[in-house]
Amino acid sequence: MSQILTNLNTQSFSNLNSIDRDQAEGIAKNLFSEYGWIFVAGVIALLVKDVMINLVKGIMIFYGHDFDNDDVIYISGRQARIVRVGVTSTTFYMADRKTKMVVPNEQLKELTIEKSLPKNGGAPYLKSGSDPSFIELTEIPVEDLKQLRENKRK
C-alpha cells in the first residue's frame, strides 16, 4: 500500500516538473481571465459587508439615545464622560487619568458600560459642585414620599 502511494506521489511530481514556465503562465492567465473576476468580486463583497455592518451599528448608536453627549457612565468600573457620539466611533473622557479614549462603535458591545439613572425623578442633568448655581440634591425617603402623595390627594 505504501509503495503504491509513493509511486503516485513520484508520478505527480514528475508531471509537475515536466510543465515548463510558458505552460504554467498560460494556465494561470486562463484561470485568472475566466475566474479572476469572481475572486475580486468576493474580496469586494467582504469589504463592503464589513463597512456596511459598521455603518449600521454606528447609525444605531448615533441616532439612539442609549448614549448621549455629556452622559456620565462607568466603563469597567472607571468613570467616564461621553464627549462625542459619532457615526463610526464614540469618544470618552476618562476622569481618573484625564485622558481621551476613542472606541469604534462596533466594539462598544464588548465593553462593560454602566449608566447611573436619576433618583426619584430627579433632573436628567446634574450640575457639578463647582458650578455657581449648584444646589445639593438629597434623596427623599420612601415614607416621606408616601406622606407627600397622600397630602396632595387631600
Side-chain angles (χ1 to χ4, degrees), residues 63 98 101 105 107 109 117 131-132 146 151:
Y63 286 111
K98 295 183 170 63
M101 181 171 73
N105 287 338
Q107 291 182 359
K109 65 180 179 180
L117 299 176
D131 289 338
K146 288 179 183 177
N151 291 341

Side-chain angles (χ1 to χ4, degrees), residues 32-42:
F32 283 111
S33 66
E34 290 182 31
Y35 302 109
W37 65 272
I38 294 175
F39 176 74
V40 171

Side-chain angles (χ1 to χ4, degrees), residues 1-147:
M1 182 70 136
S2 64
Q3 287 179 347
I4 295 170
L5 289 175
T6 54
N7 287 339
L8 285 174
N9 285 339
T10 307
Q11 288 175 0
S12 63
F13 284 128
S14 66
N15 289 339
L16 287 176
N17 289 335
S18 66
I19 298 176
D20 65 349
R21 183 182 172 114
D22 292 333
Q23 288 177 337
E25 258 182 50
I27 291 171
K29 284 181 183 178
N30 287 337
L31 283 176
F32 283 111
S33 66
E34 290 182 31
Y35 302 109
W37 65 272
I38 294 175
F39 176 74
V40 171
V43 169
I44 290 173
L46 289 175
L47 292 175
V48 168
K49 180 193 87 141
D50 289 341
V51 168
M52 292 303 291
I53 287 174
N54 293 342
L55 185 65
V56 168
K57 286 180 183 179
I59 289 172
M60 288 173 55
I61 291 172
F62 187 72
Y63 286 111
H65 291 288
D66 293 334
F67 302 110
D68 292 321
N69 291 342
D70 290 332
D71 281 350
V72 175
I73 60 170
Y74 295 91
I75 302 173
S76 299
R78 294 176 58 197
Q79 185 178 12
R81 179 179 294 274
I82 299 175
V83 176
R84 179 179 42 239
V85 178
V87 175
T88 58
S89 64
T90 301
T91 305
F92 300 99
Y93 172 75
M94 306 304 290
D96 57 350
R97 295 185 187 162
K98 295 183 170 63
T99 57
K100 176 176 87 168
M101 181 171 73
V102 179
V103 179
N105 287 338
E106 65 268 8
Q107 291 182 359
L108 285 176
K109 65 180 179 180
E110 298 171 11
L111 297 176
T112 304
I113 298 177
E114 301 174 45
K115 182 176 176 180
S116 298
L117 299 176
K119 296 181 181 178
N120 295 331
Y125 176 75
L126 300 176
K127 297 182 180 182
S128 65
S130 62
D131 289 338
S133 61
F134 175 74
I135 299 173
E136 186 175 351
L137 299 175
T138 57
E139 190 172 335
I140 300 173
V142 176
E143 295 81 22
D144 293 343
L145 282 176
K146 288 179 183 177
Q147 289 177 357

